[in-house]
Protein backbone atom coordinates (compact mmCIF):
# COMPACT_ATOMS: atom_id res chain seq x y z
CA UNK A 1 0.00 0.00 0.00
CA UNK A 2 0.88 3.66 -0.01
CA UNK A 3 3.06 5.03 2.81
CA UNK A 4 0.53 7.79 3.64
CA UNK A 5 -3.21 7.50 4.00
CA UNK A 6 -5.59 10.40 4.55
CA UNK A 7 -9.29 10.41 5.24
CA UNK A 8 -11.46 13.42 5.67
CA UNK A 9 -15.02 14.48 6.21
CA UNK A 10 -16.53 17.88 5.89
CA UNK A 11 -19.69 19.92 6.03
CA UNK A 12 -20.81 23.36 4.91
CA UNK A 13 -23.53 24.95 7.02
CA UNK A 14 -25.42 28.12 6.17
CA UNK A 15 -25.37 30.27 9.32
CA UNK A 16 -27.34 33.18 7.89
CA UNK A 17 -28.04 34.76 4.52
CA UNK A 18 -24.69 35.10 2.69
CA UNK A 19 -22.81 33.50 5.61
CA UNK A 20 -21.64 29.91 5.83
CA UNK A 21 -19.08 27.86 7.71
CA UNK A 22 -17.10 24.92 6.42
CA UNK A 23 -15.70 22.42 8.89
CA UNK A 24 -13.26 19.66 7.99
CA UNK A 25 -11.84 16.79 9.97
CA UNK A 26 -8.80 14.93 8.70
CA UNK A 27 -6.93 11.85 9.81
CA UNK A 28 -3.49 11.26 8.34
CA UNK A 29 -1.53 8.06 8.97
CA UNK A 30 1.84 6.87 7.71
CA UNK A 31 3.35 3.40 7.88
CA UNK A 32 6.91 4.67 7.40
CA UNK A 33 9.11 3.75 10.34
CA UNK A 34 10.95 6.63 12.02
CA UNK A 35 9.81 9.21 9.42
CA UNK A 36 6.07 8.51 9.65
CA UNK A 37 5.27 11.34 12.05
CA UNK A 38 7.15 13.89 9.94
CA UNK A 39 5.43 12.71 6.77
CA UNK A 40 2.03 12.97 8.47
CA UNK A 41 2.75 16.54 9.65
CA UNK A 42 4.05 17.60 6.23
CA UNK A 43 0.96 16.21 4.52
CA UNK A 44 -1.32 17.94 7.04
CA UNK A 45 0.53 21.25 6.54
CA UNK A 46 0.13 20.97 2.77
CA UNK A 47 -3.61 20.33 3.12
CA UNK A 48 -3.93 23.37 5.39
CA UNK A 49 -1.98 25.58 2.96
CA UNK A 50 -4.12 24.44 0.04
CA UNK A 51 -7.34 25.11 1.97
CA UNK A 52 -6.14 28.59 2.98
CA UNK A 53 -5.31 29.36 -0.66
CA UNK A 54 -8.70 28.12 -1.79
CA UNK A 55 -10.40 30.26 0.84
CA UNK A 56 -8.54 33.41 -0.26
CA UNK A 57 -9.27 32.64 -3.91
CA UNK A 58 -12.98 32.12 -3.22
CA UNK A 59 -13.30 35.32 -1.18
CA UNK A 60 -11.53 37.32 -3.89
CA UNK A 61 -13.74 35.84 -6.59
CA UNK A 62 -16.89 36.61 -4.58
CA UNK A 63 -15.73 40.23 -4.18
CA UNK A 64 -15.04 40.45 -7.90
CA UNK A 65 -11.32 40.97 -7.32
CA UNK A 66 -8.55 39.29 -9.29
CA UNK A 67 -8.20 35.90 -7.56
CA UNK A 68 -4.70 35.30 -8.97
CA UNK A 69 -2.12 34.11 -6.41
CA UNK A 70 0.12 36.67 -4.77
CA UNK A 71 3.38 36.82 -6.79
CA UNK A 72 5.29 37.50 -3.54
CA UNK A 73 4.14 34.24 -1.95
CA UNK A 74 6.74 31.63 -1.12
CA UNK A 75 6.53 28.05 -2.36
CA UNK A 76 6.54 25.23 0.20
CA UNK A 77 6.68 21.75 -1.37
CA UNK A 78 4.49 22.67 -4.32
CA UNK A 79 2.02 24.79 -2.36
CA UNK A 80 2.27 28.48 -1.61
CA UNK A 81 2.46 29.95 1.86
CA UNK A 82 2.00 33.67 2.43
Amino acid sequence: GLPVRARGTGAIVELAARTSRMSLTWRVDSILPVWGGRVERLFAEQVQIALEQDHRFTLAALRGADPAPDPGASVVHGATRQ
Side-chain angles (χ1 to χ4, degrees), residues 19-41:
T19 305
S20 61
R21 174 170 292 144
M22 177 171 61
S23 64
L24 300 168
T25 303
W26 286 88
R27 172 150 180 116
V28 180
D29 296 299
S30 176
I31 60 171
L32 296 173
V34 181
W35 296 101
R38 289 182 185 187
V39 170
E40 292 168 5
R41 282 188 295 281

Side-chain angles (χ1 to χ4, degrees), residues 14-68:
E14 183 177 15
L15 301 174
R18 300 177 52 104
T19 305
S20 61
R21 174 170 292 144
M22 177 171 61
S23 64
L24 300 168
T25 303
W26 286 88
R27 172 150 180 116
V28 180
D29 296 299
S30 176
I31 60 171
L32 296 173
V34 181
W35 296 101
R38 289 182 185 187
V39 170
E40 292 168 5
R41 282 188 295 281
L42 178 61
F43 183 87
E45 288 172 4
Q46 295 304 308
V47 169
Q48 182 177 357
I49 290 167
L51 290 171
E52 289 169 356
Q53 288 177 332
D54 184 65
H55 183 246
R56 282 191 300 276
F57 177 91
T58 301
L59 290 178
L62 289 171
R63 287 191 301 265
D66 179 11

